[in-house]
């Protein structure tokens, strides 16, 4: 099922429920989706509860708020009944300490989404690279990520297969 424009009204709420119930560690970090639509996602994480021994945001929280963006984009842009996302690789570059709440943002172009849909339909899988930017409360870039995700076909009956990502 691909969601229609009418279905996108509460995608952020849907993803926040997924985070709360299916990815409890992210939920406990206070990570949430602020805005979500096909091809665009904005996430956030609070400094409160995520400060390290220096009083800046814990590096793991910065990683998590960026990593979940690929899954959120998948939910907004692809057929969740036929396919599932998985992360294959993530690199993060820390640029400066975050001393405030942060926001993480990423997007995929409509033509890229269309190509990935065709590839997944034809091959049963597709792969995409997603760049994300993490900014502090002043809009300063504190980190950036480059991640590779795979879209994989579900097994018959809608179950997710334990697969090897190198295939």
């Amino acid at each position: 099922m691909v969601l229609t424009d009418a279905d996108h009204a509460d995608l952020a709420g849907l993803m926040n429920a997924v985070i709360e119930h299916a990815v409890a560690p992210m939920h406990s970090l206070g990570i949430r989706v602020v805005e979500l639509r096909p091809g665009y996602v904005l996430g956030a994480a609070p400094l409160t509860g995520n400060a390290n021994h220096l009083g800046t945001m814990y590096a793991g929280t910065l990683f998590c708020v960026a990593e979940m963006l690929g899954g959120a984009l998948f939910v907004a842009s692809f057929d969740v009944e036929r396919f599932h996302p998985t992360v294959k690789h993530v690199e993060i570059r820390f640029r400066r300490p975050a001393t405030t709440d942060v926001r993480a943002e990423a997007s995929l172009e409509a033509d890229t989404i269309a190509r990935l849909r065709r590839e997944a339909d034809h091959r049963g899988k597709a792969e995409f690279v997603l760049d994300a930017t993490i900014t502090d409360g002043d809009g300063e870039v504190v980190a950036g990520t480059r991640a590779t995700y795979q879209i994989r076909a579900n097994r018959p009956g809608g179950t997710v297969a334990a697969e090897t990502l190198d295939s």
Side-chain angles (χ1 to χ4, degrees), residues 26 63 66 108:
M26 280 193 191
F63 178 92
L108 285 175

Side-chain angles (χ1 to χ4, degrees), residues 4-28:
T4 66
D5 287 342
D7 296 323
H8 290 114
D10 195 35
L11 275 178
L14 171 68
M15 273 309 300
N16 289 326
V18 168
I19 290 170
E20 179 179 2
H21 299 289
V23 194
M26 280 193 191
H27 177 71
S28 68

Side-chain angles (χ1 to χ4, degrees), residues 35-120:
E35 187 177 343
L36 180 59
R37 62 181 182 271
Y40 178 79
V41 61
L42 175 66
L47 179 63
T48 302
N50 289 307
N52 61 22
H53 61 289
L54 301 173
T56 61
M57 186 158 300
Y58 170 57
T61 303
L62 293 170
F63 178 92
C64 287
V65 72
E67 185 276 328
M68 73 83 187
L69 299 176
L73 274 174
F74 169 83
V75 167
S77 306
F78 299 95
D79 187 340
V80 298
E81 291 181 358
R82 294 183 52 222
F83 299 97
H84 64 275
T86 188
V87 64
K88 186 174 179 180
H89 179 84
V90 182
E91 293 179 9
I92 188 166
R93 181 166 188 257
F94 300 102
R95 300 173 81 69
R96 65 173 27 146
T99 58
T100 66
D101 295 355
V102 297
R103 294 165 75 89
E105 186 174 32
S107 62
L108 285 175
E109 297 293 327
D111 59 335
T112 300
I113 294 169
R115 178 185 55 77
L116 291 167
R117 285 178 181 160
R118 287 190 306 271
E119 187 176 336

